Amino acid sequence: MEKILKNRKILVTGGAGFIGSNLIESLLLNGNQVTCLDNFSTGKRENLKGFIDNPDFRLIEGDIRNISDCETAVRDIDIVFHEAALGSVPRSIKDPVTSTDVNIGGFVKILFAAKEAKVKRFVYAASSSTYGDHPDLPKVEDKIGAPLSPYAITKYVNELFATNFSKSYGIDVIGLRYFNVYGKRQDPDGAYAAVIPKFLKMLIRHEIPLINGDGSVSRDFTYVKNVVQANHLAGITENKAALNQVYNVAHGERTTLNQLFFYLREFAGKYDSSILTVEPVYGPDRAGDIQHSLASIDKASKLLGYKPTHNVVEGLEEYVKWFITNM
Ligand SMILES: NC(=O)c1ccc[n+]([C@@H]2O[C@H](COP(=O)([O-])OP(=O)(O)OC[C@H]3O[C@@H](n4cnc5c(N)ncnc54)[C@H](O)[C@@H]3O)[C@@H](O)[C@H]2O)c1
């Protein structure tokens, strides 16, 4: 990673979550002062374990839906990295009211508080779900379809608000459309767990993973270190053309669920060879899912200098090692 944020005052919302905690760890390593605003709804205190006692770290237990929590969190901050949201397409289908409340209502409150406090830059987690039913592959930023879930709607509305705020009030915003992120500290448990930690935990316990559909669904699985790099670049760029834009953040390669299962089994099998005999079962397709997803990362590469360091095989191998050592 060439360009790294240093010596800044930074707020990470959702910092007790998977991506937020990885970002905070990297920001603290590079001499930044970091405030975390989190309500621990899906985040965990144990995700903060590595830096909770760091004098450059400050935790605010609060809610982005509460304007006074937002005002406290943005005070004296240079850059906001907004990661707090309720993730998961199925969660948003089951409970669109809470997902909308947090992902749109909370977004507007933290963005408004940041603008009022004259924060210079607001970088936020957008999502590949915004491509909806658009058929083109690879996905390019300016061609989106109709959203397929309440979650996708909320993430698209975030982009609309961010663009509007940058035009109306002059705050610099950058949206990062993450594609299926995985890596250390991602929650393997619960009804809304992402496929990679969930399958890995099952494999280690010799349980049989259920693949939705026939396993040909494909995704651009993105290692969290690539996502952290993109955030540093978005926070640091001084290229005017790079501001007030959204970017795909991915590796730019497609992996089917079947391939993913076999990679995970192969890497976990290095630690326990009996895992190599576990076979998946197949079930119905999942509501709100698209068949294939693949990002063009040309825009982030050209305007931000983004260059992913880990492809899917490298990322998965490193992640499996971490999981087996730490879980
Ligand atoms: N993980 C992915 O593959 C992926 C893909 C695309 C976009 N994203 C986006 O990236 C961001 C981070 O995702 P993640 O995977 O780390 O999820 P996560 O659930 O691990 O982290 C989200 C964090 O936000 C906190 N939070 C939720 N509601 C809050 C509220 N009202 N007030 C304060 N804090 C609140 C949670 O407690 C949690 O710590 C989210 O905005 C998500 O939509 C993630």
Side-chain angles (χ1 to χ4, degrees):
M1 202 192 298
E2 279 174 17
K3 291 190 182 163
I4 294 177
L5 281 165
K6 292 188 175 138
N7 306 320
R8 309 284 183 99
K9 291 180 188 148
I10 293 172
L11 168 67
V12 179
T13 68
F18 156 50
I19 296 172
S21 68
N22 278 277
L23 180 58
I24 291 177
E25 188 181 350
S26 165
L27 291 168
L28 288 170
L29 270 176
N30 290 291
N32 296 288
Q33 288 176 34
V34 183
T35 298
C36 165
L37 172 63
D38 204 298
N39 71 348
F40 295 96
S41 56
T42 59
K44 296 179 184 164
R45 278 171 214 283
E46 69 195 55
N47 288 344
L48 308 176
K49 213 170 53 189
F51 44 79
I52 189 80
D53 296 325
N54 186 322
D56 287 331
F57 177 73
R58 178 173 71 130
L59 172 65
I60 299 175
E61 192 165 344
D63 198 305
I64 55 168
R65 289 168 291 182
N66 179 332
I67 191 75
S68 73
D69 288 347
C70 293
E71 285 163 356
T72 306
V74 295
R75 207 166 290 142
D76 204 22
I77 289 291
D78 301 322
I79 304 172
V80 173
F81 289 105
H82 178 55
E83 307 300 318
L86 283 177
S88 165
V89 163
R91 184 205 310 271
S92 76
I93 293 171
K94 185 141 193 272
D95 179 4
V97 175
T98 313
S99 287
T100 302
D101 195 23
V102 173
N103 296 5
I104 299 180
F107 184 91
V108 176
K109 285 187 179 120
I110 192 73
L111 179 58
F112 183 70
K115 167 265 207 230
E116 289 284 281
K118 302 200 172 11
V119 169
K120 294 183 195 76
R121 188 161 304 177
F122 186 91
V123 179
Y124 63 97
S127 166
S128 61
S129 63
T130 292
Y131 289 103
D133 64 1
H134 198 285
D136 284 4
L137 289 179
K139 306 293 182 197
V140 287
E141 284 81 350
D142 56 356
K143 285 189 185 162
I144 61 170
L148 296 170
S149 66
Y151 172 73
I153 295 172
T154 68
K155 287 292 173 176
Y156 181 49
V157 170
N158 288 177
E159 294 186 9
L160 298 176
F161 268 108
T163 307
N164 175 269
F165 267 58
S166 84
K167 286 190 178 137
S168 302
Y169 307 116
I171 181 169
D172 288 339
V173 296
I174 291 184
L176 300 174
R177 284 185 192 157
Y178 304 153
F179 281 66
N180 294 79
V181 189
Y182 67 94
K184 68 178 179 183
R185 295 197 283 271
Q186 189 170 26
D187 194 350
D189 299 316
Y192 304 123
V195 63
I196 292 181
K198 182 170 155 184
F199 278 14
L200 183 54
K201 187 166 183 182
M202 293 183 86
L203 277 166
I204 288 166
R205 295 175 164 197
H206 300 90
E207 292 167 3
I208 296 170
L210 170 77
I211 294 181
N212 296 116
D214 64 2
S216 63
V217 162
S218 67
R219 294 287 180 269
D220 198 335
F221 293 106
T222 307
Y223 195 43
V224 70
K225 286 189 179 170
N226 297 332
V227 171
V228 168
Q229 178 198 150
N231 276 281
H232 275 275
L233 293 168
I236 211 165
T237 186
E238 283 170 16
N239 176 3
K240 285 258 181 292
L243 301 174
N244 311 320
Q245 299 280 348
V246 289
Y247 297 92
N248 290 341
V249 175
H251 187 269
E253 66 180 326
R254 198 147 58 107
T255 305
T256 66
L257 288 181
N258 280 329
Q259 286 171 315
L260 175 73
F261 173 81
F262 292 121
Y263 284 142
L264 288 172
R265 190 175 69 174
E266 183 191 328
F267 296 141
K270 289 186 182 170
Y271 300 88
D272 169 3
S273 60
S274 65
I275 290 173
L276 296 171
T277 61
V278 179
E279 294 290 343
V281 293
Y282 294 87
D285 290 330
R286 209 174 65 162
D289 270 349
I290 47 162
Q291 192 66 17
H292 300 293
S293 182
L294 169 70
S296 160
I297 54 169
D298 289 355
K299 184 175 173 184
S301 155
K302 276 187 202 123
L303 290 175
L304 296 176
Y306 170 66
K307 197 165 175 239
T309 51
H310 291 68
N311 65 23
V312 80
V313 168
E314 292 161 333
L316 285 175
E317 192 160 18
E318 190 171 290
Y319 173 53
V320 170
K321 186 175 174 192
W322 177 86
F323 195 98
I324 287 177
T325 320
N326 288 275
M327 296 306 276

